[in-house]
Amino acid sequence: MPRPKQALLSRERIITAATALIDAEGLAAVSTRRLAAELGVRGPSLYNHFATKDEILDAVADSIADQVEIGMFATEPWHVALKAWGRSYRTALAAHPNIVPHLAQGPGRRPGALRMADAVYGGLVREGWPPARATHIGALMRYFVAGSALGSFARGFVEDPTLYATDYPHLTQAHRLPEHQRSVDEGAFTLGLDALINGLLLTYDEFGYGKNLRR
């Protein structure tokens, strides 16, 4: 009995393979030839699903954006939603930091990224933020979250106490940071997110952006 015909490729398989490659080796490792080899097919087969390498990168970026929770902007006060979104956004990016430089270029035509931007902007404007300020908040959140996910502050220090002992008297404990990487990086993100939201709350109240809202 002959084997049933099976599609060797699908968009999902290509995206999964490209994501794994980016996670392991970075954006520069992605090429249609390399992906075809990883998938066990010939290079031209990929063009049935994606016309260019950039389209593949966009699809990977959107698959990660789709992991970010945005529903809270329709149900929660803006500051609660913004904090929850920031945490969800960072979790998604921290799991795939090598894609962050591509995401940092902006949403372009990517549906997932545009849905996220629309939800954030719409939620803020609905709660009384002026459109220009809502745009600023979306931008600053992207800067903050993407930067925090791109790398580890704690891992940037070497575990060699002699490096710091003589010339850097205020860094004599810096060699211990890598072993506490998770708590240092998570603590910094939480502190920064709280400070950011609290500052926005002060601005919101100072200018009375929510005073005319109907509850």
Side-chain angles (χ1 to χ4, degrees):
M1 180 181 297
R3 293 183 179 180
K5 292 183 178 180
Q6 295 181 348
L8 290 176
L9 281 182
S10 65
R11 286 181 61 91
E12 291 71 24
R13 279 197 66 204
I14 297 170
I15 292 170
T16 298
T19 302
L21 189 57
I22 292 168
D23 287 346
E25 301 182 32
L27 290 169
V30 178
S31 68
T32 53
R33 178 178 295 182
R34 178 70 185 277
L35 277 174
E38 294 286 333
L39 291 162
V41 299
R42 302 181 69 178
S45 301
L46 273 65
Y47 296 119
N48 293 324
H49 302 277
F50 296 99
T52 65
K53 169 184 168 179
D54 281 343
E55 284 191 8
I56 296 173
L57 296 180
D58 280 346
V60 171
D62 242 19
S63 72
I64 293 168
D66 284 340
Q67 298 171 24
V68 182
E69 294 291 334
I70 56 175
M72 67 283 284
F73 284 100
T75 59
E76 300 290 344
W78 69 266
H79 58 286
V80 176
L82 200 64
K83 182 178 288 189
W85 172 65
R87 290 189 174 281
S88 180
Y89 195 12
R90 180 175 183 267
T91 296
L93 295 192
H96 307 280
N98 289 339
I99 196 65
V100 172
H102 188 77
L103 281 165
Q105 297 175 16
R109 295 178 178 274
R110 293 186 284 111
L114 290 170
R115 280 193 298 270
M116 183 164 64
D118 184 69
V120 175
Y121 178 82
L124 292 170
V125 171
R126 190 163 50 247
E127 290 278 316
W129 282 99
R133 280 296 185 222
T135 300
H136 295 159
I137 293 170
L140 74 87
M141 286 292 291
R142 195 185 78 181
Y143 301 150
F144 175 64
V145 174
S148 71
L150 189 57
S152 165
F153 175 82
R155 287 181 181 168
F157 294 85
V158 300
E159 299 181 64
D160 178 7
T162 63
L163 174 64
Y164 311 102
T166 303
D167 296 328
Y168 311 102
H170 302 295
L171 299 179
T172 55
Q173 298 301 306
H175 65 284
R176 300 183 60 195
L177 289 175
E179 66 180 279
H180 301 289
Q181 176 262 325
R182 184 179 181 85
S183 63
V184 171
D185 292 344
E186 289 287 345
F189 177 77
T190 298
L191 177 63
L193 184 61
D194 287 345
L196 191 155
I197 299 297
N198 289 338
L200 290 174
L201 279 166
L202 290 175
T203 299
Y204 186 78
D205 291 339
E206 178 183 355
F207 288 92
Y209 289 144
K211 64 183 179 182
N212 295 322
L213 296 179
R214 293 180 180 178
R215 299 293 184 183

